[in-house]
Amino acid sequence: MPEETLYLVEKGALFCWKAACDDGPGENVVDWDSSSQGAPMSVQQAYSEMIGTQDLTLDRYQVWYSALLSST
């Protein structure tokens, strides 16, 4: 779930990397090489990548987050 991913990235318990794309003419190939992952995403970049996936909006994430905090 993108909500849980964002939460863990915010807390520093999870690092996400974005795979590099080797875009040649007419190609959309993702080159995922574990030896050259690059730098982990920032929290801001994780938000921009996750918000909008699986119908997650910022409002829904904030509701999910507040429900998580109130349940502990």
Side-chain angles (χ1 to χ4, degrees):
M1 294 177 72
E3 299 94 341
E4 293 170 344
T5 303
L6 279 176
Y7 175 76
L8 292 172
V9 168
E10 283 182 1
K11 299 302 177 192
L14 179 72
F15 294 104
C16 292
W17 285 265
K18 185 169 182 172
C21 255
D22 289 338
D23 289 356
E27 293 182 32
N28 191 12
V29 178
V30 174
D31 180 26
W32 184 248
D33 180 7
S34 62
S35 65
S36 61
Q37 293 176 2
M41 288 184 189
S42 66
V43 174
Q44 293 166 326
Q45 188 176 7
Y47 265 90
S48 69
E49 294 288 331
M50 302 289 173
I51 298 294
T53 62
Q54 297 182 9
D55 296 326
L56 179 64
T57 63
L58 185 56
D59 291 335
R60 286 186 184 193
Y61 176 71
Q62 289 173 333
V63 168
W64 178 87
Y65 186 82
S66 64
L68 177 70
L69 293 179
S70 66
S71 69
T72 57

